[in-house]
Amino acid sequence: MRAVAGTAAAALLVALSITVPAAQRAALAAQSTCAPPVTLANGDFELPAIANHTVSITAATNVPGWQTTATDQKIEIWRNYNNVPEASGQQHAELNANMVSTLYQNLPTTPGQTLRWELYHRGRNGTDVMADRKSTR
């Protein structure tokens, strides 16, 4: 039914000699195109997978998607260790493996695009503070 209606509408436009300028067609197409979704790579720190009830301090190159400001380039991954449950997935990262540092990803975005972030944080020894920083470069 839709193919017939579309064909009829196209025939009507041809019969009426209605044309849409190319620039306007491009503008209309751009308005209907949505920006691709922005997602973190390895957001739950599931890679590299480690044994249950363990901690692994590994090179940042072994943790897909993530970078660190730590000068030793190490990231600490926990899996159900020390009775600390993961908020999402099977593993999580400890922010300061061997030194105070930051974990981050650079993500492509589109100006005006709406983003939704959900972050989980807990202090190792009680109350702690986390900073969520976004920047444009």
Side-chain angles (χ1 to χ4, degrees), residues 16-131:
L16 296 174
S17 296
I18 297 174
T19 58
V20 178
Q24 189 175 356
R25 282 194 306 267
L28 290 172
Q31 290 174 3
S32 63
T33 303
C34 295
V38 176
T39 57
L40 291 174
N42 194 23
D44 285 336
F45 298 95
E46 299 300 301
L47 296 173
I50 64 172
N52 200 21
H53 304 289
T54 62
V55 169
S56 174
I57 297 178
T58 186
T61 55
N62 293 332
V63 186
W66 291 97
Q67 297 179 55
T68 181
T69 59
T71 57
D72 65 359
Q73 290 296 295
K74 300 290 186 183
I75 296 177
E76 184 174 338
I77 305 293
W78 289 29
R79 183 180 186 112
N80 197 27
Y81 178 71
N82 207 23
N83 295 319
V84 176
E86 282 66 35
S88 177
Q90 301 294 313
Q91 300 182 165
H92 70 271
E94 166 61 31
L95 292 179
N96 302 322
N98 292 322
M99 64 192 68
V100 174
S101 59
T102 299
L103 296 178
Y104 68 97
Q105 290 190 23
N106 292 317
L107 302 170
T109 59
T110 302
Q113 182 178 12
T114 300
L115 302 174
R116 180 179 176 272
W117 294 105
E118 188 171 81
L119 304 170
Y120 299 98
H121 175 264
R122 90 179 240 310
R124 184 183 289 211
N125 296 314
T127 303
D128 197 10
V129 177
M130 174 184 73

